[in-house]
Amino acid sequence: MPLAVVVVTYHSADVVGDCLTSVATALESVPDSRIVVVDNASTDDTLDVVRRVAPHARVVARTANDGFAAGVNAGFAAAPDCDVLVLNPDVRLHPEAVAFLLAALALPGTGIAVPRLTGSDGKPQLSLRRAPNPLRALGEAFLGGTRAGRHAPLGELVVDPRAYAAAGSADWATGAAWLISREAREATGVLEERYFLYSEETEYMLRAGERGFAIRYEPRAHAVHLGGEQSTSPVLWSMATTNRVRMVRERRGRPAAVAMWCAVLVNELLRAPRHAKHRTAVTDLVRWRRWPDRPGEGDRPGWICFSAQDWWYHNRAHSDFQLMRSVARDRRVLVVNSIGMRMPTRGNSTHVARRILRKLRSIAKFVRRPEPDFYVMSPLPLPFYGSPFLRAVNAVLVRAQVRLVAAFLRLRTPVVMVTIPTAWDVVAPMRRRSLVFNRSDRHSDFPEADRGAIEALEHRLLEHADHVVYVSHALMAEEAPRTGERAHFLDHGVDVDHFTARPEHEWPDDVRAIPGPRIGFFGALDDFVVDFDLLERLAVELPGASLVLIGDATHPMERFDKHPNVHWLGFRPYDLVPAYGSAFDVAIMPWQDNNWIKHSNPIKLKEYLALGLPVVSTDFAELAGYTDRVRAARSHAEFVDAVRRTLADGGPRPAAALRESVLTRSWRSRAAELVALAEQRGR
């Protein structure tokens, strides 16, 4: 198994050079290894030092400091097929440390291996821990960590010298240096980023243990750990203290969290008269917040997003949902489900009854919280936007509902993001910090829309928004005279952790039963974007291949009944989409040639690439940046030929290179860029 050493840095110029030098020495005897440095937006000379000391290291330069866990997760994404050794930049490995850790990791049942840590003075660091609980926190409050640690029921810290002299296991260990296997990582997932600092490695290792992976301590693997600022910084000490309570709440529920809070508060109160850091911790425990504030950041407004989709029945991979889920990691977010652009009517809309029924079901849910700090509401709208009077009535009705929910959630002066143009009448008089127009599509080109009414609303948003963000360079260029310096190209992201290729034994039975080779598509099969004539031509001209279509359809699919090699599997949950996509031999984007597509930037392109799939697409403007990875066709004949050629040669680039090309385009990085832009005051 290849090995990646992931070093997470933040203002680490003074220490990272020696760390990387020691890593290079330790890797000399380890074949198929690499170094990945993830930098959390340092403003010092960290990256200059990295490039000088380790010129062959892969550098993942993040746009914001989202904490240690976010950095580790970015490192995981950059090394999907590797065992990963995670290091703090103030760690120095002894030359044989990596070899000993790999040997420990190879033992049956082991998922994580940790080394013996000493300080720069050679004194041992007590790095092994027992699982935290209220009784141990109370024991440490009255006895102190070292004395309580002599008795397993009363202390979290392992202090027995014999435990550090011989190899053994622990519930968890400090996260300065730890090696995790690829198997354990795949089973455990990613680190929880909302802690920002401290307790994230605790929660992760405990989670790995619950999945059957032992944490093994190997004393022959030696590393020097200089130590950080936690013991001297009141802010960091308080974060570490309060995160202990947060972790117990997340893992064991509120009753256990209350007991833990009381025990930790007692500990800090007993020591508060002597040290400022304990007084800060007491203050933060009393002024409890669900998740910690991040050092150096000011007030954080909530966000309200008027989405063009509906959380309850559209694919949750849409950009509104992905961006807002990422923003909700450290801000409170309210997503307002689509209020529509017109009432579905016979002759102008397909599946009218079904669409009205599903919207009524969504409205019946009103407000729900599917994820922490991420709220979704479905207001009751009157979608008659062609009538000025009814439009005004609808705006008052929807705005009243949104204001009520916003007040309940304490979203007093939020950032407001609008994707659907019909929300303009609603948001125009709303108090807000800033207004962002998410120009993901030109909605006036939507075939069912009242073009004149929707275009007028788009123009009002383009005129009054503080920021207009685009995913299409073509649309951004066309509207530049209206937007000027307020325009910003954001681009779509991709959930690189979710869209990871699955081995064949994890493919769903229905797609595995379809004979290969498989030409695949996943996503909405909407008749105003998908070229169904092209799909039928593929089926006819490539009878030896199977055409696999996954997604809800607004087009009559009975036309494919006469083609035995077409397999429409219908809608599949977002969680299962990567497993289905992994079964494709070629992924396709068979778009219509219309204005909607001209100004689009399909999210599924990056999802296909993250899965390592060769892609064939009809040509459109935003493909210009992907000509080295995607085969584009300007006609049906060219499209069929490109698919045939790709089935034969596997595509222009190998799967690993395709995935590598989108690893830095995570939704978290897109959301961080959006937050930085939108939370500026004024234009």
Side-chain angles (χ1 to χ4, degrees):
M1 185 67 66
L3 172 71
V5 178
V6 172
V7 182
V8 179
T9 59
Y10 178 68
H11 292 171
S12 307
D14 293 340
V15 294
V16 71
D18 289 342
C19 174
L20 294 174
T21 299
S22 74
V23 169
T25 301
L27 292 182
E28 288 177 355
S29 60
V30 181
D32 198 5
S33 59
R34 67 200 73 166
I35 300 173
V36 178
V37 176
V38 181
D39 183 71
N40 280 343
S42 297
T43 57
D44 64 356
D45 297 329
T46 295
L47 291 181
D48 292 335
V49 174
V50 170
R51 294 186 178 103
R52 183 176 69 251
V53 175
H56 300 296
R58 178 181 173 188
V59 174
V60 179
R62 309 188 72 246
T63 59
N65 178 21
D66 295 325
F68 176 73
V72 173
N73 289 338
F76 281 176
D81 301 321
C82 300
D83 297 335
V84 174
L85 173 59
V86 179
L87 295 180
N88 284 3
D90 60 350
V91 167
R92 284 89 179 92
L93 296 176
H94 277 223
E96 296 181 336
V98 174
F100 283 128
L101 285 174
L102 288 170
L105 195 67
L107 294 174
T110 301
I112 296 175
V114 297
R116 173 170 56 93
L117 296 179
T118 63
S120 57
D121 56 3
K123 294 181 179 179
Q125 292 185 354
L126 302 179
S127 59
L128 304 181
R129 300 289 192 274
R130 304 181 184 98
N133 62 41
L135 179 59
R136 286 176 176 147
L138 198 62
E140 292 173 352
F142 288 107
L143 300 177
T146 302
R147 277 183 289 183
R150 296 171 187 166
H151 310 282
L154 297 179
E156 186 176 336
L157 185 66
V158 176
V159 300
D160 189 345
R162 293 173 296 181
Y164 293 91
S169 60
D171 291 341
W172 67 281
T174 54
W178 48 291
L179 172 65
I180 180 169
S181 70
R182 173 186 171 184
E183 292 75 16
R185 194 155 52 88
E186 290 178 346
T188 309
V190 297
L191 278 73
E192 175 54 72
E193 296 180 12
R194 287 173 293 185
Y195 294 105
F196 188 70
L197 286 173
Y198 310 117
S199 288
E200 68 276 87
E201 82 271 36
T202 312
E203 189 276 335
Y204 191 79
M205 292 186 194
L206 292 174
R207 194 171 4 130
E210 291 169 351
R211 285 159 174 72
F213 294 96
I215 289 83
R216 178 165 292 275
Y217 167 71
E218 176 50 72
R220 295 177 298 171
H222 179 206
V224 174
H225 179 216
L226 302 184
E229 303 175 70
Q230 178 188 348
S231 61
T232 59
S233 168
V235 172
L236 297 183
W237 178 269
S238 177
M239 186 178 293
T241 300
T242 52
N243 275 352
R244 295 176 67 195
V245 183
R246 292 183 176 99
M247 189 193 66
V248 170
R249 181 199 60 207
E250 293 299 303
R251 289 177 52 78
R252 301 179 59 186
R254 289 186 177 181
V258 170
M260 188 72 174
W261 182 88
C262 292
V264 171
L265 181 62
V266 168
N267 182 81
E268 300 306 310
L269 282 170
L270 290 173
R271 292 157 178 80
R274 299 190 301 274
H275 298 288
K277 64 182 183 181
H278 296 291
R279 292 193 291 272
T280 301
V282 169
T283 300
D284 287 343
L285 284 165
V286 172
R287 299 175 181 174
W288 179 256
R289 293 180 60 86
R290 183 173 179 86
W291 293 104
D293 282 331
R294 300 184 177 186
E297 294 186 0
D299 61 315
R300 296 178 177 181
W303 282 60
I304 298 178
C305 171
F306 288 81
S307 175
Q309 313 297 329
D310 192 297
W311 172 266
W312 302 116
Y313 53 79
H314 283 129
N315 190 325
R316 295 176 187 178
H318 283 288
S319 63
D320 288 351
F321 302 144
Q322 292 284 13
L323 287 169
M324 290 303 102
R325 290 173 73 189
S326 294
V327 171
R329 300 186 75 83
D330 57 1
R331 285 154 176 79
R332 180 164 291 180
V333 169
L334 172 63
V335 169
V336 181
N337 279 329
S338 173
I339 58 175
M341 290 192 294
R342 66 170 292 153
M343 174 66 76
T345 56
R346 295 190 182 278
N348 291 316
S349 310
T350 57
H351 305 288
V352 173
R354 186 183 72 171
R355 293 166 72 172
I356 293 175
L357 181 61
R358 71 182 185 180
K359 176 54 75 174
L360 291 175
R361 287 172 176 165
S362 175
I363 292 169
K365 297 178 184 292
F366 193 48
V367 182
R368 301 290 174 91
R369 191 188 72 178
E371 298 176 8
D373 284 332
F374 180 81
Y375 295 82
V376 177
M377 75 170 291
S378 298
L380 175 64
L382 298 175
F384 300 100
Y385 299 105
S387 164
F389 173 74
L390 290 177
R391 203 174 85 189
V393 172
N394 181 63
V396 172
L397 174 65
V398 173
R399 184 164 56 249
Q401 296 170 75
V402 173
R403 278 177 167 167
L404 176 66
V405 175
F408 179 78
L409 297 177
R410 299 194 299 277
L411 300 173
R412 296 181 179 87
T413 311
V415 172
V416 176
M417 186 173 89
V418 170
T419 298
I420 192 164
T422 48
W424 163 249
D425 291 331
V426 178
V427 305
M430 286 179 62
R431 181 182 179 187
R432 56 186 180 261
R433 176 158 174 163
S434 65
L435 175 63
V436 179
F437 185 16
N438 181 29
R439 193 69 157 132
S440 58
D441 295 293
R442 179 176 278 169
H443 286 85
S444 52
D445 288 334
F446 180 60
E448 296 182 18
D450 182 327
R451 183 179 182 91
I454 300 303
E455 193 169 50
L457 292 169
E458 288 175 326
H459 290 170
R460 297 290 284 170
L461 278 163
L462 290 171
E463 178 184 355
H464 292 283
D466 296 295
H467 308 283
V468 184
V469 295
Y470 290 88
V471 297
S472 166
H473 286 97
L475 185 55
M476 183 174 171
E478 286 182 17
E479 296 179 345
R482 290 182 177 272
T483 57
E485 295 182 355
R486 293 177 294 121
H488 182 86
F489 185 78
L490 184 66
D491 201 1
H492 284 316
V494 61
D495 189 342
V496 292
D497 297 321
H498 186 60
F499 284 91
T500 300
R502 309 300 201 262
E504 185 172 352
H505 69 270
E506 294 184 13
W507 298 352
D509 292 339
D510 51 357
V511 74
R512 195 187 314 156
I514 296 172
R518 303 178 189 89
I519 305 165
F521 173 93
F522 57 67
L525 290 157
D526 290 323
D527 47 14
F528 65 93
V529 292
V530 174
D531 188 338
F532 287 90
D533 292 338
L534 175 55
L535 289 178
E536 191 162 11
R537 182 163 177 176
L538 271 177
V540 170
E541 297 196 22
L542 298 174
S546 296
L547 180 58
V548 182
L549 307 175
I550 297 169
D552 206 358
T554 60
H555 182 84
M557 300 300 284
E558 295 80 7
R559 67 182 293 179
F560 296 107
D561 289 347
K562 61 181 178 289
H563 302 292
N565 62 332
V566 177
H567 305 266
W568 177 45
L569 302 184
F571 175 82
R572 290 296 184 268
Y574 178 69
D575 289 345
L576 296 180
V577 168
Y580 278 96
S582 298
F584 297 169
D585 295 286
V586 180
I588 57 172
M589 297 198 302
W591 307 130
Q592 299 228 31
D593 183 11
N594 57 29
N595 282 335
W596 183 275
I597 293 298
K598 177 183 177 182
H599 301 119
S600 72
N601 184 355
I603 295 172
K604 75 175 79 283
L605 172 58
K606 293 184 180 67
E607 293 172 346
Y608 284 159
L609 295 175
L611 289 172
L613 296 173
V615 181
V616 174
S617 176
T618 49
D619 201 14
F620 60 98
E622 213 55 43
L623 273 185
Y626 296 86
T627 54
D628 59 330
R629 287 160 281 175
V630 177
R631 284 179 172 152
R634 296 182 179 273
S635 67
H636 284 193
E638 285 186 14
F639 193 97
V640 174
D641 182 66
V643 171
R644 183 182 289 113
R645 186 153 48 104
T646 304
L647 287 173
D649 66 14
R653 296 181 67 179
L658 295 177
R659 178 173 172 79
E660 177 84 11
S661 71
V662 296
L663 283 180
T664 60
R665 310 303 294 176
S666 71
W667 283 114
R668 291 171 190 166
S669 68
R670 301 302 88 217
E673 189 175 337
L674 176 64
V675 166
L677 177 75
E679 294 184 4
Q680 304 170 20
R681 292 193 179 272
R683 296 189 178 183

